[in-house]
Amino acid sequence: MRLITTTEELASACAELASHPFIAVDTEFMREQTFWPKLCLIQIAAGEHELLIDTLAPDIDLAPFFDLMNDESVLKVFHSARQDVEIMHHLAGQVPHPIFDTQVAAMVCGFGESVGYGMLVKRMLNRNLDKTSRFTDWSRRPLSEKQLTYAIGDVTHLRDLFPTLKSQLDDSGRETWLDEEMGVLTDPETYEQPPENAWKRLKMRTKTPKALAVLMEVAAWREREAQSQDVPRSRILKDDALHDIANQAPRSLDDLGALRSIHNGFVRSSRGRSVLEAVERGLERDLETVPRIQRNDPMTPESAAVFDLLRVLLKATAGHHGVAPKLIATSDELEQIARHDEPDLPTMKGWRRMLFGEQAMKLKRGELSLAVQNGEVSVLQVNGDDSSD
């Protein structure tokens, strides 16, 4: 185990790592007090190399590491890569490529939904992980020997399990499934957070187009403030306050102060006036530019029955092909399929459509039926021919 604290050491280590066909990568970070994750440590294992990069070391330049992440000849292996890749995209403006996510690969290979790293290591390597240092403060220096040992373990086990998992994936013939998922993970748009889209992450509690227009402007204002000051969104304004402002559309500081979710200090600050300006922008917005509010009306009894059938079909399909149901379709997607014809959903595209989406549509059209045969759910054509394969 080698701890790297200088740019020269990092450049030399990355040059050595570049000769390996794959490297296992993980990060430790903090984000409780910031908008952007604070990168504290990078772990890499490849061959006999076991490296820890102290990203908080004075004057260290991470450029050699980012160059390695962008080296097309080296496969970067992560477990649950989304947050690690988000950090690198933010710091370097680029996404590592190519990558292999062992969590997704394990779901494709039938290990279950949202496979935990500890469980995967136990099942594939018969090793138990010590997770006692997982939630320690990674920004404090010096890091303890216990922290360093824990951190390097995340990539040494990953290095050891990858070849076996990759072999299982190759034997399954589902490499293209993983390629589709990695395409999403390596798409820069996956990690971009334009303030104009901030309203989309909120639960929809607005009832009119005007309220939604105000919500869009106020949410965008909060996003810009949080990003520029690098603080959590809730430190600027909580979600409940956003909804109150959108629904009440205050036009004055007195109106703003009358909202129970807004404290007096906020009203008296420059932020209070900025919020009122955002409200005005929302009220002046052309409602034709405001998305149509999707109301989650209760499903009709007919749609609810279709939804129940789709759940059975999903479980049967997942079980038959040995893949985690959640990787194929979510409950929300099943509801959308039950409500609408040909909804624009991930499960209706690519390998998911081939595996499940087409059958879901046929089931809705009455071209398929479900039956129990020998204690298992079978999918049948309406003429009685078994189509479970």
Side-chain angles (χ1 to χ4, degrees):
M1 183 173 63
R2 177 182 173 193
L3 180 61
I4 294 175
T5 60
T6 69
T7 305
E8 292 74 20
E9 289 177 312
L10 179 59
S12 175
C14 288
E16 295 173 355
L17 292 168
S19 65
H20 290 266
F22 78 90
I23 59 176
V25 188
D26 191 29
T27 66
E28 303 297 342
F29 57 89
M30 307 284 289
R31 72 181 313 166
E32 289 81 4
Q33 303 300 320
T34 59
F35 182 91
W36 306 107
K38 180 179 181 181
L39 181 59
C40 301
L41 192 70
I42 299 170
Q43 307 98 277
I44 303 179
E48 299 301 315
H49 299 287
E50 299 177 1
L51 309 175
L52 298 167
I53 304 169
D54 185 355
T55 60
L56 302 182
D59 301 322
I60 192 169
D61 185 349
L62 297 180
F65 168 75
F66 293 128
D67 289 342
L68 178 63
M69 291 297 98
N70 206 36
D71 188 335
E72 291 288 336
S73 68
V74 181
L75 179 66
K76 276 67 71 172
V77 180
F78 296 85
H79 183 84
S80 188
R82 183 69 175 262
Q83 292 192 85
D84 300 309
V85 175
E86 177 192 3
I87 292 171
M88 297 173 199
H89 178 263
H90 171 62
L91 293 178
Q94 63 187 36
V95 172
H97 192 274
I99 68 173
F100 183 102
D101 190 325
T102 55
Q103 184 180 66
V104 179
M107 287 194 285
V108 168
C109 291
F111 280 82
E113 298 183 359
S114 300
V115 188
Y117 183 58
M119 184 277 285
L120 192 61
V121 169
K122 178 64 176 178
R123 288 180 60 176
M124 297 196 69
L125 302 177
N126 196 28
R127 301 174 188 171
N128 294 312
L129 298 185
D130 179 7
K131 306 297 285 185
T132 56
S133 296
R134 182 179 181 183
F135 296 110
T136 56
D137 186 348
W138 293 99
S139 66
R140 295 185 63 180
R141 293 296 184 269
L143 293 169
S144 69
E145 193 66 29
K146 186 176 182 180
Q147 284 178 301
L148 296 176
T149 300
Y150 160 83
I152 201 63
D154 274 348
V155 287
T156 55
H157 299 311
L158 192 59
R159 171 197 60 195
D160 296 342
L161 68 81
F162 165 71
T164 302
L165 183 58
K166 179 65 166 60
S167 177
Q168 288 189 24
L169 181 67
D170 293 343
D171 290 343
S172 73
R174 298 172 180 173
E175 304 95 322
T176 58
W177 298 14
L178 189 72
D179 290 343
E180 287 186 33
E181 303 311 300
M182 296 306 98
V184 175
L185 276 176
T186 55
D187 184 347
E189 289 189 5
T190 301
Y191 307 97
E192 292 172 358
Q193 302 184 51
E196 294 73 22
N197 293 338
W199 65 275
K200 294 180 180 179
R201 60 171 297 276
L202 300 169
K203 293 182 178 179
M204 195 53 57
R205 299 177 189 169
T206 54
K207 300 184 182 300
T208 68
K210 182 178 75 171
L212 178 55
V214 173
L215 180 67
M216 293 170 70
E217 292 293 342
V218 177
W221 168 83
R222 183 182 70 167
E223 195 79 358
R224 286 190 289 268
E225 289 287 299
Q227 289 186 10
S228 63
Q229 298 179 37
D230 194 19
V231 296
R233 297 179 182 94
S234 61
R235 191 79 61 82
I236 303 295
L237 205 58
K238 295 186 182 298
D239 288 358
D240 287 344
L242 291 186
H243 290 295
D244 284 349
I245 293 168
N247 289 318
Q248 298 300 321
R251 308 293 295 272
S252 68
L253 292 176
D254 287 341
D255 292 341
L256 184 62
L259 301 180
R260 294 179 61 182
S261 56
I262 304 294
H263 58 79
N264 289 333
F266 183 92
V267 175
R268 293 192 299 267
S269 71
S270 61
R271 288 179 178 173
R273 292 186 292 274
S274 295
V275 164
L276 292 180
E277 292 172 0
V279 170
E280 291 300 323
R281 289 194 296 272
L283 294 175
E284 294 171 0
R285 187 166 185 154
D286 181 358
L287 296 184
E288 293 297 322
T289 67
V290 176
R292 185 176 178 180
I293 297 176
Q294 300 292 328
R295 302 193 182 282
N296 293 321
D297 297 326
M299 283 192 289
T300 64
E302 293 78 11
S303 293
V306 173
F307 174 76
D308 289 338
L309 287 174
L310 289 170
R311 286 200 300 179
V312 175
L313 176 64
L314 175 62
K315 290 183 179 180
T317 301
H320 178 75
H321 292 279
V323 62
K326 186 178 179 180
L327 188 62
I328 301 173
T330 65
S331 182
D332 287 343
E333 288 176 321
L334 294 184
E335 181 177 335
Q336 292 303 312
I337 295 172
R339 289 176 180 269
H340 308 290
D341 292 331
E342 292 292 341
D344 184 16
L345 301 169
T347 195
M348 300 303 296
K349 300 174 183 177
W351 68 268
R352 291 179 174 86
R353 184 180 184 96
M354 178 187 68
L355 198 71
F356 174 75
E358 287 289 354
Q359 287 197 330
M361 289 294 100
K362 289 181 179 179
L363 184 65
K364 282 192 64 176
R365 294 194 297 264
E367 298 171 10
L368 295 181
S369 65
L370 302 175
V372 177
Q373 297 179 332
N374 300 320
E376 296 183 356
V377 175
S378 296
V379 181
L380 307 175
Q381 299 284 351
V382 291
N383 60 11
D385 295 334
D386 188 347
S387 64
S388 59
D389 294 335

